[in-house]
mmCIF file with all atom_site columns, all heavy atoms in Angstrom:
data_model
loop_
_atom_site.group_PDB
_atom_site.id
_atom_site.type_symbol
_atom_site.label_atom_id
_atom_site.label_alt_id
_atom_site.label_comp_id
_atom_site.label_asym_id
_atom_site.label_entity_id
_atom_site.label_seq_id
_atom_site.pdbx_PDB_ins_code
_atom_site.Cartn_x
_atom_site.Cartn_y
_atom_site.Cartn_z
_atom_site.occupancy
_atom_site.B_iso_or_equiv
_atom_site.pdbx_formal_charge
_atom_site.auth_seq_id
_atom_site.auth_comp_id
_atom_site.auth_asym_id
_atom_site.auth_atom_id
_atom_site.pdbx_PDB_model_num
ATOM 1  N N   . LEU A 1 4  ? 5.985  22.017 15.780 1.00 80.00 ? 206 LEU A N   1
ATOM 2  C CA  . LEU A 1 4  ? 6.156  22.236 14.338 1.00 80.00 ? 206 LEU A CA  1
ATOM 3  C C   . LEU A 1 4  ? 7.634  22.148 13.915 1.00 80.00 ? 206 LEU A C   1
ATOM 4  O O   . LEU A 1 4  ? 7.934  21.517 12.946 1.00 80.00 ? 206 LEU A O   1
ATOM 5  C CB  . LEU A 1 4  ? 5.563  23.622 13.937 1.00 80.00 ? 206 LEU A CB  1
ATOM 6  C CG  . LEU A 1 4  ? 5.713  24.025 12.494 1.00 80.00 ? 206 LEU A CG  1
ATOM 7  C CD1 . LEU A 1 4  ? 4.939  23.050 11.598 1.00 80.00 ? 206 LEU A CD1 1
ATOM 8  C CD2 . LEU A 1 4  ? 5.181  25.420 12.256 1.00 80.00 ? 206 LEU A CD2 1
ATOM 9  N N   . VAL A 1 5  ? 8.509  22.818 14.729 1.00 82.00 ? 207 VAL A N   1
ATOM 10 C CA  . VAL A 1 5  ? 9.911  22.799 14.343 1.00 82.00 ? 207 VAL A CA  1
ATOM 11 C C   . VAL A 1 5  ? 10.433 21.352 14.483 1.00 82.00 ? 207 VAL A C   1
ATOM 12 O O   . VAL A 1 5  ? 11.201 20.858 13.591 1.00 82.00 ? 207 VAL A O   1
ATOM 13 C CB  . VAL A 1 5  ? 10.685 23.750 15.224 1.00 82.00 ? 207 VAL A CB  1
ATOM 14 C CG1 . VAL A 1 5  ? 12.178 23.533 15.102 1.00 82.00 ? 207 VAL A CG1 1
ATOM 15 C CG2 . VAL A 1 5  ? 10.335 25.184 14.980 1.00 82.00 ? 207 VAL A CG2 1
ATOM 16 N N   . ARG A 1 6  ? 10.004 20.649 15.523 1.00 83.00 ? 208 ARG A N   1
ATOM 17 C CA  . ARG A 1 6  ? 10.487 19.252 15.725 1.00 83.00 ? 208 ARG A CA  1
ATOM 18 C C   . ARG A 1 6  ? 9.941  18.428 14.547 1.00 83.00 ? 208 ARG A C   1
ATOM 19 O O   . ARG A 1 6  ? 10.668 17.530 14.050 1.00 83.00 ? 208 ARG A O   1
ATOM 20 C CB  . ARG A 1 6  ? 9.983  18.710 16.977 1.00 83.00 ? 208 ARG A CB  1
ATOM 21 C CG  . ARG A 1 6  ? 10.918 18.959 18.137 1.00 83.00 ? 208 ARG A CG  1
ATOM 22 C CD  . ARG A 1 6  ? 10.545 18.226 19.419 1.00 83.00 ? 208 ARG A CD  1
ATOM 23 N NE  . ARG A 1 6  ? 10.122 19.337 20.347 1.00 83.00 ? 208 ARG A NE  1
ATOM 24 C CZ  . ARG A 1 6  ? 9.096  19.221 21.193 1.00 83.00 ? 208 ARG A CZ  1
ATOM 25 N NH1 . ARG A 1 6  ? 8.355  18.112 21.207 1.00 83.00 ? 208 ARG A NH1 1
ATOM 26 N NH2 . ARG A 1 6  ? 8.808  20.139 21.988 1.00 83.00 ? 208 ARG A NH2 1
ATOM 27 N N   . GLY A 1 7  ? 8.709  18.653 14.079 1.00 79.00 ? 209 GLY A N   1
ATOM 28 C CA  . GLY A 1 7  ? 8.194  17.892 13.015 1.00 79.00 ? 209 GLY A CA  1
ATOM 29 C C   . GLY A 1 7  ? 8.998  18.140 11.704 1.00 79.00 ? 209 GLY A C   1
ATOM 30 O O   . GLY A 1 7  ? 9.188  17.251 10.926 1.00 79.00 ? 209 GLY A O   1
ATOM 31 N N   . LEU A 1 8  ? 9.290  19.430 11.477 1.00 79.00 ? 210 LEU A N   1
ATOM 32 C CA  . LEU A 1 8  ? 10.061 19.775 10.305 1.00 79.00 ? 210 LEU A CA  1
ATOM 33 C C   . LEU A 1 8  ? 11.499 19.156 10.330 1.00 79.00 ? 210 LEU A C   1
ATOM 34 O O   . LEU A 1 8  ? 11.937 18.673 9.285  1.00 79.00 ? 210 LEU A O   1
ATOM 35 C CB  . LEU A 1 8  ? 10.164 21.331 10.134 1.00 79.00 ? 210 LEU A CB  1
ATOM 36 C CG  . LEU A 1 8  ? 8.835  21.959 9.769  1.00 79.00 ? 210 LEU A CG  1
ATOM 37 C CD1 . LEU A 1 8  ? 9.024  23.518 9.870  1.00 79.00 ? 210 LEU A CD1 1
ATOM 38 C CD2 . LEU A 1 8  ? 8.392  21.582 8.352  1.00 79.00 ? 210 LEU A CD2 1
ATOM 39 N N   . ILE A 1 9  ? 12.095 19.161 11.427 1.00 79.00 ? 211 ILE A N   1
ATOM 40 C CA  . ILE A 1 9  ? 13.442 18.620 11.611 1.00 79.00 ? 211 ILE A CA  1
ATOM 41 C C   . ILE A 1 9  ? 13.351 17.037 11.302 1.00 79.00 ? 211 ILE A C   1
ATOM 42 O O   . ILE A 1 9  ? 14.222 16.477 10.599 1.00 79.00 ? 211 ILE A O   1
ATOM 43 C CB  . ILE A 1 9  ? 13.977 18.876 12.962 1.00 79.00 ? 211 ILE A CB  1
ATOM 44 C CG1 . ILE A 1 9  ? 14.373 20.345 13.061 1.00 79.00 ? 211 ILE A CG1 1
ATOM 45 C CG2 . ILE A 1 9  ? 15.254 18.058 13.228 1.00 79.00 ? 211 ILE A CG2 1
ATOM 46 C CD1 . ILE A 1 9  ? 14.838 20.852 14.377 1.00 79.00 ? 211 ILE A CD1 1
ATOM 47 N N   . ALA A 1 10 ? 12.303 16.468 11.917 1.00 76.00 ? 212 ALA A N   1
ATOM 48 C CA  . ALA A 1 10 ? 12.167 15.012 11.679 1.00 76.00 ? 212 ALA A CA  1
ATOM 49 C C   . ALA A 1 10 ? 11.911 14.739 10.218 1.00 76.00 ? 212 ALA A C   1
ATOM 50 O O   . ALA A 1 10 ? 12.478 13.732 9.668  1.00 76.00 ? 212 ALA A O   1
ATOM 51 C CB  . ALA A 1 10 ? 11.011 14.493 12.523 1.00 76.00 ? 212 ALA A CB  1
ATOM 52 N N   . ALA A 1 11 ? 11.114 15.552 9.563  1.00 71.00 ? 213 ALA A N   1
ATOM 53 C CA  . ALA A 1 11 ? 10.863 15.361 8.112  1.00 71.00 ? 213 ALA A CA  1
ATOM 54 C C   . ALA A 1 11 ? 12.116 15.532 7.304  1.00 71.00 ? 213 ALA A C   1
ATOM 55 O O   . ALA A 1 11 ? 12.399 14.780 6.401  1.00 71.00 ? 213 ALA A O   1
ATOM 56 C CB  . ALA A 1 11 ? 9.815  16.361 7.667  1.00 71.00 ? 213 ALA A CB  1
ATOM 57 N N   . LEU A 1 12 ? 12.936 16.571 7.623  1.00 71.00 ? 214 LEU A N   1
ATOM 58 C CA  . LEU A 1 12 ? 14.173 16.746 6.909  1.00 71.00 ? 214 LEU A CA  1
ATOM 59 C C   . LEU A 1 12 ? 15.152 15.604 7.086  1.00 71.00 ? 214 LEU A C   1
ATOM 60 O O   . LEU A 1 12 ? 15.781 15.143 6.166  1.00 71.00 ? 214 LEU A O   1
ATOM 61 C CB  . LEU A 1 12 ? 14.804 18.059 7.367  1.00 71.00 ? 214 LEU A CB  1
ATOM 62 C CG  . LEU A 1 12 ? 14.197 19.347 6.848  1.00 71.00 ? 214 LEU A CG  1
ATOM 63 C CD1 . LEU A 1 12 ? 14.781 20.594 7.529  1.00 71.00 ? 214 LEU A CD1 1
ATOM 64 C CD2 . LEU A 1 12 ? 14.334 19.390 5.328  1.00 71.00 ? 214 LEU A CD2 1
ATOM 65 N N   . ARG A 1 13 ? 15.168 15.073 8.292  1.00 71.00 ? 215 ARG A N   1
ATOM 66 C CA  . ARG A 1 13 ? 16.073 13.884 8.534  1.00 71.00 ? 215 ARG A CA  1
ATOM 67 C C   . ARG A 1 13 ? 15.632 12.666 7.644  1.00 71.00 ? 215 ARG A C   1
ATOM 68 O O   . ARG A 1 13 ? 16.413 12.030 7.055  1.00 71.00 ? 215 ARG A O   1
ATOM 69 C CB  . ARG A 1 13 ? 15.968 13.459 10.015 1.00 71.00 ? 215 ARG A CB  1
ATOM 70 C CG  . ARG A 1 13 ? 16.887 14.301 10.908 1.00 71.00 ? 215 ARG A CG  1
ATOM 71 C CD  . ARG A 1 13 ? 16.940 13.748 12.324 1.00 71.00 ? 215 ARG A CD  1
ATOM 72 N NE  . ARG A 1 13 ? 17.676 14.686 13.126 1.00 71.00 ? 215 ARG A NE  1
ATOM 73 C CZ  . ARG A 1 13 ? 17.381 14.974 14.400 1.00 71.00 ? 215 ARG A CZ  1
ATOM 74 N NH1 . ARG A 1 13 ? 16.277 14.432 14.918 1.00 71.00 ? 215 ARG A NH1 1
ATOM 75 N NH2 . ARG A 1 13 ? 18.108 15.764 15.030 1.00 71.00 ? 215 ARG A NH2 1
ATOM 76 N N   . LEU A 1 14 ? 14.300 12.510 7.680  1.00 66.00 ? 216 LEU A N   1
ATOM 77 C CA  . LEU A 1 14 ? 13.827 11.358 6.870  1.00 66.00 ? 216 LEU A CA  1
ATOM 78 C C   . LEU A 1 14 ? 14.084 11.611 5.282  1.00 66.00 ? 216 LEU A C   1
ATOM 79 O O   . LEU A 1 14 ? 14.521 10.644 4.596  1.00 66.00 ? 216 LEU A O   1
ATOM 80 C CB  . LEU A 1 14 ? 12.230 11.243 6.970  1.00 66.00 ? 216 LEU A CB  1
ATOM 81 C CG  . LEU A 1 14 ? 11.853 10.527 8.291  1.00 66.00 ? 216 LEU A CG  1
ATOM 82 C CD1 . LEU A 1 14 ? 10.282 10.670 8.399  1.00 66.00 ? 216 LEU A CD1 1
ATOM 83 C CD2 . LEU A 1 14 ? 12.291 9.103  8.328  1.00 66.00 ? 216 LEU A CD2 1
ATOM 84 N N   . ILE A 1 15 ? 13.940 12.847 4.876  1.00 63.00 ? 217 ILE A N   1
ATOM 85 C CA  . ILE A 1 15 ? 14.139 13.157 3.442  1.00 63.00 ? 217 ILE A CA  1
ATOM 86 C C   . ILE A 1 15 ? 15.644 12.954 3.137  1.00 63.00 ? 217 ILE A C   1
ATOM 87 O O   . ILE A 1 15 ? 15.966 12.387 2.123  1.00 63.00 ? 217 ILE A O   1
ATOM 88 C CB  . ILE A 1 15 ? 13.671 14.595 3.181  1.00 63.00 ? 217 ILE A CB  1
ATOM 89 C CG1 . ILE A 1 15 ? 12.183 14.640 3.166  1.00 63.00 ? 217 ILE A CG1 1
ATOM 90 C CG2 . ILE A 1 15 ? 14.193 15.042 1.799  1.00 63.00 ? 217 ILE A CG2 1
ATOM 91 C CD1 . ILE A 1 15 ? 11.600 16.148 3.174  1.00 63.00 ? 217 ILE A CD1 1
#
Side-chain angles (χ1 to χ4, degrees):
L206 175 63
V207 171
R208 274 189 246 141
L210 288 173
I211 290 171
L214 285 173
R215 281 187 184 140
L216 282 172
I217 290 167

